[in-house]
Amino acid sequence: MRGDICPVCCGTERENSVNCPLECPFLREARLREREADVDPRSFPNQDIRVDEAFLRRNEPLLLLLASTIAAAALESRDHVIDLDVREALDGLISTWRARQSGLIYTGGLVNPLAIRIHDAVNARVADIDGRLREHNSQLRDVDVLGVLAFLQRLELQKNNGRRKSRAFIDFLREFFPTEPPSGQQQPPPPTTPPPSGLILP
């Protein structure tokens, strides 16, 4: 349901009790004034997964593809996907790919259908990428997928604004990692400015 709300409600209930459309000009303006969460890198989960600038440069194409896949899965859903749904999906994906490194098959243990949809979309994209690489006698390394997922997990923790219905991270992905256009349209070039990583990298 869409409609007008008063300025006070906009300020206090925005992304708390109100599902704000991402194109709302007042939300866009608020985004410019929001401070990122003061996150201590030592508090990030999966500290054993090392991600540095060299890793990100080497895996930039994979990062672009997986981030845009997450954004597309979140934005194309008929349900109101929020950052916490994406967080659950990333937690499940990291569990899945950790298990793969041990030769096990694990689906992440998710029960949230929105998180499951994102989880499955990312895994399908990874399978597609790996299939294309194998056609050229190459292969996608599990450790690279896991590192990119850990980076995105840390980025979500940094970008989430703490509101109950926050979509700040999804909004960030939409801006920095454009989703694929409809069939027949040209893919816009990725942004020349890399995503901020100050608090994320050791």
Side-chain angles (χ1 to χ4, degrees):
M1 180 177 178
R2 293 176 180 249
D4 295 331
I5 60 175
C6 72
V8 173
C9 290
C10 178
T12 59
E13 299 305 318
R14 178 179 62 249
E15 293 191 317
N16 275 320
S17 63
V18 177
N19 293 328
C20 301
L22 294 180
E23 66 273 13
C24 172
F26 302 106
L27 179 65
R28 306 304 307 163
E29 181 66 24
R31 288 270 191 262
L32 298 176
R33 298 194 301 271
E34 280 181 349
R35 293 184 58 186
E36 290 187 357
D38 186 14
V39 182
D40 184 348
R42 294 171 297 182
S43 70
F44 285 136
N46 302 298
Q47 288 281 322
D48 60 305
I49 304 176
R50 301 289 294 176
V51 178
D52 57 20
E53 293 287 356
F55 173 88
L56 292 177
R57 284 195 299 269
R58 187 172 66 252
N59 289 284
E60 182 179 7
L62 180 61
L63 172 61
L64 291 170
L65 288 170
L66 296 193
S68 65
T69 298
I70 291 172
L75 295 169
E76 292 171 1
S77 173
R78 294 182 179 180
D79 300 294
H80 192 80
V81 177
I82 61 175
D83 289 347
L84 291 181
D85 297 319
V86 178
R87 181 180 297 181
E88 284 188 51
L90 287 167
D91 289 345
L93 283 161
I94 289 172
S95 296
T96 295
W97 285 88
R98 277 191 181 280
R100 277 180 59 109
Q101 287 192 310
S102 302
L104 303 175
I105 298 177
Y106 178 64
T107 59
L110 298 172
V111 295
N112 176 352
L114 303 181
I116 291 171
R117 188 177 305 162
I118 296 168
H119 175 281
D120 291 349
V122 170
N123 279 338
R125 174 51 65 91
V126 170
D128 177 65
I129 296 168
D130 190 48
R132 292 172 184 269
L133 287 174
R134 288 177 184 274
E135 292 176 359
H136 296 87
N137 298 316
S138 185
Q139 188 175 355
L140 191 59
R141 300 194 311 164
D142 290 355
V143 66
D144 290 336
V145 175
L146 189 58
V148 167
L149 292 173
F151 174 78
L152 290 170
Q153 181 187 54
R154 296 165 193 178
L155 199 56
E156 190 281 327
L157 290 168
Q158 185 180 21
K159 294 298 180 182
N160 187 310
N161 61 24
R163 293 175 180 262
R164 287 196 311 113
K165 298 187 177 185
S166 169
R167 302 182 85 197
F169 177 60
I170 295 171
D171 210 3
F172 171 83
L173 292 182
R174 181 179 71 157
E175 178 179 354
F176 275 91
F177 306 99
T179 57
E180 293 183 354
S183 178
Q185 294 186 16
Q186 185 177 3
Q187 174 73 44
T192 54
T193 303
S197 58
L199 292 180
I200 295 164
L201 304 180

